[in-house]
Amino acid sequence: MPRLWLGNACTEHMVDRMDLLTQEDFDGTLFVMKRLVWLMRDGDALVLPRPVPDAFLAHVTGHTGTSPDRVHVIAPDADLLTQDLLHSEGVLGRLRELVTPDWEFHPYIHDRGAEVFARELGLVTGSRFVAEGGAELLNSKVVFRALAAGAGFAVPDGIPCRTSEDLRHTLRRLLAAHRAVILKRDRAVSGHGNVVVTTDPDLKGAGALHTIVLDDPADHEQVLREAGLTATHAPQGEVVLEVFHPDCTSVYVEVDCPEDGEPVLLNGGQLRIDRHPPILAGLALPPRSVPAPAWERFTGEALRMARLMRGLGYRGLVNIDAVIDPAGDVWFNEVNARLGGSTHLHHIAETLVGPAWTDSHVLISRFNVRAPTLERLLPAMREHGLAWDPRRRRGIVVASDDTAAGGTLEYVVLAHDHGEADALEDRLTALLHQYDQ
């Protein structure tokens, strides 16, 4: 049966303060949502904030075997899919002419806004827990810490803070025993509100937008301002303050919590972190530098966490994040009860290689890469032997495209081993450098 995909990565139910988002944030959200094109098949519909470039749609469908004329992309050309837009004649009106009650509904995140939208179309969504806002509950960093700690999972020392006094006293306690802490806004996206606070000027705060080095009392006041708390409440939303473990490997798994049966681990890997600034730049599947015993501990505990979520009534995909320190200890960060940053990567690999792709291949991705338009880049990739080659079963595809508007893209390298993947990526980097002169 056909499927309706909803590109709602950033919504009123996911973000405490939508008014704090910038145009760069909106553009980043659209970049993420374009990845959903890889999940479509003939007859499907996809709702996105902005249209999908023809060259990117042709590139994707050329690999998936889907016909561009047999998919429906509905894009009102806006920064975000607000509730007003979703229920407008241009979106809801068009879908009423297309969607019937037997369609499957697949939002990026199944929040209450998505549930209201689905009911307007007469779609049955299944999980009552999710329909009542359960996915939003699990995505809360504050709620996650309580659930994880109560169920015996290892979480970094810290506490959710609702007032400035919570934060002030917790900051003093944690920094008396540790080099650094991280401040995380409860409901935010793409690292928004993540700030590392440290007494060590040489520490590199990977995973945060910036780092505050505490040299004098004024720096403490900056931390309080970043948190946005008052002495009595949290007008910008609560924050989590917890120990930051430097020199760790950031890892994740994606798990399916099905309607019937046990949760199933679909894929897992490690985050690729840029150096300047030290932020997320891509993924490596499977993990490249995690000792096997630590990975087994992580995946075992992650499946236990998924069983906990399923026991609460959650159904669907979940991404579970953790860090592994140099001693091999696993510390859980958060869960994302939604589609994730590897959903499209896993689908790309299954499409190009097959369901058991991890038996023979590795995958690396990188996004926000400066590149020319696909009309120029794709022929050059083919000419230099970099494009995906189904005969040799290796090569590169474009996972998301913003080259026409923002000049960036996301690529995926599939190869038989890490050495081959690195060589292909190095050659692509050299090719892109020629265009960047």
Side-chain angles (χ1 to χ4, degrees):
M1 62 186 68
R3 301 169 299 175
L4 172 59
W5 298 91
L6 179 62
N8 62 334
C10 184
T11 74
E12 302 91 333
H13 300 94
M14 276 287 290
V15 180
D16 283 321
R17 290 288 302 273
M18 296 286 285
D19 58 310
L20 297 180
L21 299 178
T22 66
Q23 188 61 51
E24 184 178 356
D25 298 321
F26 298 144
D27 294 342
T29 297
L30 177 61
F31 189 87
V32 170
M33 291 301 90
K34 287 179 184 175
R35 298 165 172 169
L36 295 178
V37 176
W38 277 98
L39 306 184
M40 299 182 75
R41 64 189 182 208
D42 285 347
D44 286 359
L46 169 63
V47 182
L48 290 179
R50 296 196 188 280
V52 176
D54 290 340
F56 179 58
L57 183 60
H59 173 68
V60 174
T61 56
H63 287 294
T64 61
T66 304
S67 171
D69 299 328
R70 298 193 63 192
V71 295
H72 310 273
V73 179
I74 298 172
D77 201 11
D79 286 331
L80 289 175
L81 292 177
T82 62
Q83 292 297 303
D84 284 346
L85 270 178
L86 285 178
H87 292 269
S88 68
E89 187 61 29
V91 177
L92 191 61
R94 286 185 60 189
L95 287 173
R96 282 188 171 131
E97 299 173 355
L98 177 68
V99 174
T100 57
D102 62 335
W103 278 49
E104 295 179 6
F105 182 53
H106 293 278
Y108 184 80
I109 174 169
H110 199 138
D111 61 8
R112 282 166 287 177
E115 179 67 19
V116 170
F117 180 66
R119 292 184 185 187
E120 285 290 310
L121 290 167
L123 299 177
V124 177
T125 58
S127 170
R128 293 180 61 189
F129 175 76
V130 172
E132 296 290 341
E136 303 159 49
L137 187 72
L138 294 169
N139 280 313
S140 161
K141 298 178 182 68
V142 170
V143 172
F144 165 76
R145 280 187 62 90
L147 290 176
F153 293 96
V155 295
D157 188 11
I159 196 169
C161 299
R162 182 168 176 79
T163 71
S164 56
E165 291 307 300
D166 294 339
L167 180 66
R168 193 187 306 274
H169 295 299
T170 304
L171 181 65
R172 183 183 303 117
R173 176 179 68 83
L174 294 180
L175 286 180
H178 302 276
R179 292 171 59 197
V181 297
I182 186 167
L183 180 74
K184 300 189 292 188
R185 196 170 299 285
D186 181 32
R187 295 178 183 272
V189 293
S190 302
H192 242 278
N194 286 9
V195 180
V196 169
V197 183
T198 181
T199 56
D200 181 358
D202 297 322
L203 183 137
K204 304 300 181 185
L209 296 182
H210 65 280
T211 298
I212 298 175
V213 179
L214 298 179
D215 288 328
D216 57 51
D219 298 324
H220 287 263
E221 295 304 314
Q222 183 184 352
V223 176
L224 292 175
R225 288 194 300 272
E226 292 279 354
L229 305 178
T230 71
T232 58
H233 67 294
Q236 295 182 16
E238 296 182 66
V239 299
V240 166
L241 189 67
E242 63 186 27
V243 171
F244 178 79
H245 292 277
D247 306 318
C248 287
T249 301
S250 297
V251 294
Y252 84 93
V253 289
E254 183 170 50
V255 180
D256 181 27
C257 294
E259 188 63 37
D260 300 304
E262 285 289 296
V264 178
L265 195 154
L266 299 179
N267 62 84
Q270 70 184 76
L271 280 57
R272 306 181 74 194
I273 305 296
D274 270 346
R275 293 188 176 183
H276 305 292
I279 57 175
L280 177 64
L283 297 176
L285 292 68
R288 299 186 61 164
S289 57
V290 178
W295 183 252
E296 290 173 6
R297 282 195 297 274
F298 168 54
T299 54
E301 283 288 85
L303 283 171
R304 183 167 76 89
M305 186 172 291
R307 287 193 289 271
L308 170 65
M309 295 172 61
R310 191 180 179 283
L312 292 172
Y314 182 75
R315 301 293 184 270
L317 297 181
V318 57
N319 288 257
I320 301 171
D321 297 343
V323 295
I324 300 177
D325 67 22
D329 295 320
V330 178
W331 303 92
F332 284 87
N333 299 124
E334 63 181 17
V335 298
N336 292 300
R338 54 166 172 75
L339 276 66
S342 70
T343 305
H344 67 300
L345 302 180
H346 181 67
H347 186 81
I348 289 171
E350 284 197 324
T351 299
L352 299 181
V353 178
W357 69 271
T358 54
D359 292 344
S360 59
H361 283 69
V362 300
L363 181 154
I364 55 177
S365 73
R366 184 171 290 274
F367 47 79
N368 290 334
V369 179
R370 297 292 303 175
T373 61
L374 295 194
E375 289 87 350
R376 298 175 62 196
L377 178 62
L378 295 178
M381 287 174 54
R382 289 191 291 268
E383 179 184 344
H384 288 79
L386 297 174
W388 171 255
D389 184 339
R391 183 180 61 83
R392 304 178 72 184
R393 293 168 62 82
R394 71 175 192 185
I396 303 172
V397 297
V398 175
S400 187
D401 168 45
D402 192 39
T403 52
T408 62
L409 55 73
E410 175 185 17
Y411 62 75
V412 170
V413 183
L414 270 165
H416 296 93
D417 54 48
H418 294 306
E420 187 177 57
D422 290 342
L424 285 167
E425 184 173 45
D426 288 345
R427 288 169 56 197
L428 177 62
T429 301
L431 176 63
L432 293 174
H433 184 70
Q434 296 177 21
Y435 288 102
D436 206 27
Q437 298 302 305

